[in-house]
Amino acid sequence: MGLLSRIKTEYIYLTSALRTLKRTTKVAKNKEYTFSHLMVDLAEEFGDRPALVSEAETYTYAGLNRRANQYARWAQAQGVEKGDCVALLMPNRPEYVAAWLGVLRAGGVCALLNTNLNGASLAHCINIVHPKAVIVEGSLADSYESAREHLDDDKHAWSYDGGQFASLNEALEETSDAALTGGEVVNITNSDKALYIYTSGTTGLPKAANIIHYRVMAIMNGFSAATKATADDKMYVCLPLYHTAGGVMAIGIVLTVGGSVLIRDKFSASHFWDDIIDNDCTMFQYIGELCRYLLNSPVHPKENKHKLRLIDGNGLRPDIWEEFRDRFKIPFILEWYASTEGNTVFFNFDQKVGAIGRIPKWAEKRFVTKVVKYDQDNEAPLRGPDGKLVECAPNEVGEAISQILDDPTKPSQRFEGYADKAATEKKIIRDAFEPGDAWFRSGDLIRKDELGYFYFIDRIGDTFRWKGENVATSEVAEALSTYEGINEANVYGVHVQGKDGRAGMVSLVVNEHFDLSDFRDHVGASLPEYARPIFLRMQETIEATGTFKQRKVDLVKEGFDPTKIEDKLYFNHPQERAFVQIEPALYDEIQNGGLRF
């Protein structure tokens, strides 16, 4: 990088960081001012301007504020006091935001339930937060019913159209939408709990992350500043509102400045560009796999006729970054790294391809994040002879950790943990560098270069060890996905009887260009020998969470046994030098040690 380029980059990061810190520091210092208070001010300032728009309904700023007042009074009528929980099971729509905002205004905490869950998994999410009531949208009544037998106690459930539940519409219609007064007003501060937002559960049952009012405001205002949002912006949201990215960050980016949000019930590649263009959207929030789905879709006649000025999100992988940007003519991509519960945050303000963000040297005292050596065998950060964690050298892969601090000058460093205290403690590593210090473990393997750019390698648990080498599933998936015949690749490691470590396996969704022999040549040319998948599984679709994270747990458990799996399975046969379909006899030969890998 030349001198002029360095100066330009440092200027971009300096101005962007100061802009973001100014907004979030103000939030940290104003402890009595929450999103509920902000919405009152926004309603007064922007009145009849559209705030939340969808096919189902539209709320102006004033209308959203009035509707929240109704929910607040309804919650108080159910006996909800400060700190009590109401659970919300509802698809994407503007009413969703009105509901949780009203619960917060009543002093309650709203648990945002994953609409893809049912049965015991959904019941688990309800049980761990002990709600006084559950709001169930009619279309999800069957999901709630499937969970009922697993609930610790039968919660008081409400639905808009009543049915087998109490009628929420009737209750709200009988409730005033005027501002709360007198004893109705609850003293809420930024340190109080606001939301429970659940981890995706890719490696087990979901955990309910504590989201306090400060974090809601910091996320909304910080990312609004980072994107330079204004009242003229219109954000497109098709990510689930039960998750932080869609339901707090994306809506807050524009709501905090008087812009509007177009809410789609779910992501649809075929409707995506119609929604963006027909509604004059200026921004949308992405997750990496959403971009991959769009890139794999046929050309849309409107895909270059948009008015987008910026897209923001995380997980846009290097193998599709430039192709996505160029095909859809995206003016600016703001990639960032953050998590629902974590305190590790950074932005890629200068659009460095493949980087998830950067912390320049001069900013390290405000954004206290380190990459430390990770002990794969013991599944924990490595401690040196002095008992302290060991920082990685530039470009060395390790786990990202961030110091836990409650300091208004370092507003991103707070960590509130989970509803489960034991789960909270597992994410903290203590006495890392100094006696008594505490650091949040991201659970992500990261590489940091000499200039402070961070690059995502893999989730801890997804990385596996084979032939004495660590294999990052994300890097293998990237290499495989450059093959024209592959639409999607989900890489994981499986146990083979009598072998140390785990052998590479990949589940593939392929198209008409896929050729097994040609693909094997691609694998050999793209990956070192230890990282090449030994087993293939051909699937019609790859199961993912509501935020497009690929599920691996069941695939790992199922392995490559053809008697238990209906999908076609293949083995990279060392003697045949070809991918050979796995039949029971070949499976037995592999498991009994009859083949050398």
Side-chain angles (χ1 to χ4, degrees), residues 36 72 75-76 80-85 101-110 180 184-188 192-194 213:
S36 178
Q76 290 175 338
V80 172
E81 298 179 352
K82 188 173 179 178
D84 289 337
C85 178
L101 175 59
V103 171
L104 270 56
R105 186 163 287 174
V109 184
C110 197
L180 274 61
E184 295 175 320
V185 178
V186 181
N187 180 32
I188 308 167
D192 293 321
K193 285 183 184 178
H213 284 271

Side-chain angles (χ1 to χ4, degrees), residues 163-180:
Q164 66 265 52
F165 309 120
S167 175
L168 187 55
N169 273 338
E170 290 181 9
L172 292 172
E173 286 172 6
E174 296 171 359
T175 303
S176 170
D177 65 0
L180 274 61

Side-chain angles (χ1 to χ4, degrees), residues 146-359:
S146 72
R148 252 183 165 161
E149 64 176 298
H150 305 285
L151 294 176
D152 291 342
D153 57 81
D154 201 2
K155 313 297 179 184
H156 195 178
W158 294 74
S159 184
Y160 293 95
D161 53 5
Q164 66 265 52
F165 309 120
S167 175
L168 187 55
N169 273 338
E170 290 181 9
L172 292 172
E173 286 172 6
E174 296 171 359
T175 303
S176 170
D177 65 0
L180 274 61
T181 59
E184 295 175 320
V185 178
V186 181
N187 180 32
I188 308 167
T189 73
N190 264 330
S191 295
D192 293 321
K193 285 183 184 178
L195 303 170
Y196 289 119
I197 298 181
Y198 297 82
T199 60
S200 59
T202 54
T203 56
L205 288 170
K207 298 188 290 289
N210 296 323
I211 308 298
I212 62 173
H213 284 271
Y214 162 77
R215 193 168 182 85
V216 172
M217 286 285 279
I219 290 170
M220 289 181 168
N221 284 277
F223 282 82
S224 182
T227 57
K228 300 181 184 179
T230 73
D232 295 327
D233 278 314
K234 191 169 192 178
M235 172 70 80
Y236 179 66
V237 179
C238 60
L239 301 178
L241 295 184
Y242 60 73
H243 202 267
T244 314
V248 178
M249 186 187 302
I251 65 168
I253 283 174
V254 292
L255 282 188
T256 52
V257 292
S260 61
V261 185
L262 176 64
I263 298 174
R264 180 82 178 181
D265 57 347
K266 59 184 177 181
F267 169 69
S268 167
S270 59
H271 291 112
F272 186 88
W273 292 112
D274 289 321
D275 287 342
I276 294 286
I277 283 79
D278 295 349
N279 293 280
D280 294 324
C281 294
T282 62
M283 292 194 279
F284 74 76
Q285 185 134 1
Y286 67 82
I287 286 180
E289 288 308 304
L290 181 152
C291 298
R292 193 180 295 278
Y293 293 151
L294 288 174
L295 200 56
N296 287 334
S297 299
V299 173
H300 190 287
K302 295 181 181 178
E303 66 183 38
N304 294 146
K305 297 178 181 179
H306 55 74
K307 296 180 181 178
L308 293 169
R309 68 169 187 85
L310 175 147
I311 67 171
D312 80 285
N314 68 336
L316 183 55
R317 303 300 296 164
D319 59 308
I320 67 166
W321 185 305
E322 291 172 297
E323 185 181 359
F324 182 84
R325 178 197 63 200
D326 296 343
R327 172 178 163 181
F328 299 117
K329 295 182 169 52
I330 306 297
F332 195 98
I333 297 174
L334 179 62
E335 174 83 4
W336 43 260
Y337 174 88
S339 63
T340 295
E341 71 277 38
N343 66 348
T344 311
V345 182
F346 27 81
F347 296 91
N348 182 350
F349 283 122
D350 63 336
Q351 303 187 84
K352 173 82 169 178
V353 173
I356 58 175
R358 178 175 182 254
I359 300 179

Side-chain angles (χ1 to χ4, degrees), residues 495-516:
H495 290 287
V496 181
Q497 196 167 295
K499 304 291 183 184
D500 292 329
R502 289 188 287 159
M505 185 165 182
V506 58
S507 174
L508 296 175
V509 176
V510 302
N511 57 46
E512 68 275 9
H513 301 293
F514 184 80
D515 178 271
L516 203 56

Side-chain angles (χ1 to χ4, degrees), residues 12 28 53 176 188 250 334 379 389 410 420 452 494:
I12 289 171
V53 180
S176 170
I188 308 167
L334 179 62
E379 298 182 340
L389 302 189
K410 300 169 184 174
D420 181 346
V494 294

Side-chain angles (χ1 to χ4, degrees), residues 3-183:
L3 179 59
L4 287 178
S5 295
R6 282 290 297 274
I7 293 172
K8 182 180 178 182
T9 296
E10 295 304 326
Y11 176 77
I12 289 171
Y13 276 89
L14 177 62
T15 54
S16 300
L18 288 176
R19 185 174 67 249
T20 305
L21 280 169
K22 182 179 179 181
R23 288 273 291 274
T24 51
T25 301
K26 184 179 179 181
V27 168
K29 290 182 176 179
N30 196 349
K31 296 183 179 180
E32 307 299 319
Y33 194 71
T34 69
F35 183 55
S36 178
H37 300 107
L38 174 61
M39 276 308 306
V40 173
D41 291 342
L42 290 170
E44 184 174 337
E45 182 178 359
F46 296 107
D48 292 334
R49 290 193 62 165
L52 304 171
V53 180
S54 79
E55 293 178 349
E57 66 247 338
T58 293
Y59 279 121
T60 64
Y61 277 85
L64 176 60
N65 190 55
R66 290 193 299 268
R67 188 63 162 171
N69 290 334
Q70 290 181 300
Y71 275 102
R73 287 192 171 92
W74 166 82
Q76 290 175 338
Q78 309 319 306
V80 172
E81 298 179 352
K82 188 173 179 178
D84 289 337
C85 178
V86 173
L88 179 60
L89 185 64
M90 185 191 298
N92 279 15
R93 52 184 288 199
E95 191 76 17
Y96 192 99
V97 182
W100 70 251
L101 175 59
V103 171
L104 270 56
R105 186 163 287 174
V109 184
C110 197
L112 309 184
L113 299 171
N114 186 329
T115 56
N116 295 299
L117 299 180
N118 52 41
S121 296
L122 177 58
H124 162 80
C125 292
I126 296 171
N127 288 334
I128 61 177
V129 296
H130 311 291
K132 281 200 167 181
V134 183
I135 298 174
V136 182
E137 211 259 7
S139 64
L140 294 168
D142 288 345
S143 295
Y144 183 75
E145 284 295 335
S146 72
R148 252 183 165 161
E149 64 176 298
H150 305 285
L151 294 176
D152 291 342
D153 57 81
D154 201 2
K155 313 297 179 184
H156 195 178
W158 294 74
S159 184
Y160 293 95
D161 53 5
Q164 66 265 52
F165 309 120
S167 175
L168 187 55
N169 273 338
E170 290 181 9
L172 292 172
E173 286 172 6
E174 296 171 359
T175 303
S176 170
D177 65 0
L180 274 61
T181 59

